[in-house]
Amino acid sequence: MPKIVDHQARRLLIADAVHRIIDAKGMDSVSLREVAAEAGMSMGAVQYYFATKDEMLLVALEHLNARVRLRVAAADQSDPLRLLRAGILEVLPLDETRRFEARIGLAYLARSVVSEELAEVMRAGLPLVLEFYAGQIRAAQAGGQLAAGLDAGQEASALLALAQGLGQPALIGLYSPQAVVALVDRHLARLAPR
């Protein structure tokens, strides 16, 4: 009887191996051979799923983004302000999982400066984050949790900038996780009705 292979699980296994290599050795160390060794697969098996390093990197980036989306989706969906807060905090390096993801994210950001294909994928993702933030802001305004006069789009951009501005200093230890959460909470409190 032929062996049944879960192709999606194999792709995720490879994506996780890509992430571990990026975290341990940097993005330049990602190769089909390195990934095969890290994933415990033959090089031929990896090549069955990915013909190039860039293809692997793109799928691994989507896997990274999907992990964050799943955690945000697990947050309290009934409260737009809590959901907004969760959407901000999930991209910040507040625990080892998110520190790992932040290190990988920085490697992707650096590579996107010289890879138009990767930059395009990253550019396509940011409007989705902004719209998520803006949608939660509008819902929180409708519920009286945030000031009615706020421009949801501008506030979403400010929150994205806040998260990005806190991420790197937190990653290198300038801000503790508690300080980061306090800063996010302080900013959100400033948006409340007066």
Side-chain angles (χ1 to χ4, degrees):
M1 185 167 175
K3 182 179 177 182
I4 298 174
V5 176
D6 183 341
H7 294 291
Q8 181 61 19
R10 284 273 180 101
R11 291 171 71 84
L12 296 180
L13 177 73
I14 293 168
D16 286 337
V18 169
H19 293 161
R20 289 191 301 274
I21 292 168
I22 291 171
D23 188 49
K25 302 177 185 177
M27 194 165 288
D28 288 340
S29 295
V30 175
S31 67
L32 292 170
R33 185 175 311 284
E34 282 285 325
V35 171
E38 181 66 30
M41 299 169 70
S42 71
M43 196 155 146
V46 172
Q47 287 175 315
Y48 175 82
Y49 295 100
F50 303 102
T52 67
K53 172 181 176 172
D54 287 339
E55 191 180 333
M56 272 192 310
L57 290 173
L58 290 171
V59 168
L61 175 60
E62 177 49 38
H63 176 50
L64 182 68
N65 292 337
R67 289 170 53 165
V68 175
R69 283 192 304 269
L70 283 173
R71 289 197 309 267
V72 172
D76 182 356
Q77 301 287 315
S78 67
D79 184 322
L81 190 54
R82 280 194 213 150
L83 189 55
L84 174 62
R85 182 180 184 267
I88 297 165
L89 295 180
E90 283 304 332
V91 299
L92 290 167
L94 302 178
D95 56 30
E96 189 46 45
T97 296
R98 289 178 279 183
R99 290 178 64 75
F100 173 79
E101 292 168 350
R103 291 188 299 265
I104 295 165
L106 282 175
Y108 273 107
L109 180 62
R111 185 168 179 94
S112 71
V113 174
V114 295
S115 168
E116 182 55 33
E117 186 177 19
L118 193 54
E120 187 176 314
V121 170
M122 294 187 79
R123 277 193 304 269
L126 289 175
L128 300 176
V129 173
L130 290 169
E131 185 49 42
F132 172 78
Y133 287 176
Q136 299 316 307
I137 291 167
R138 285 189 288 273
Q141 286 175 303
Q145 294 175 295
L146 294 180
L150 298 173
D151 180 306
Q154 287 182 358
E155 293 302 333
S157 292
L159 289 170
L160 178 62
L162 174 70
Q164 290 181 332
L166 288 173
Q168 292 176 15
L171 194 57
I172 61 170
L174 180 63
Y175 299 128
S176 70
Q178 297 80 9
V180 169
V181 171
L183 286 165
V184 169
D185 287 343
R186 181 172 185 267
H187 185 82
L188 290 174
R190 293 172 66 200
L191 304 180
R194 304 232 177 253

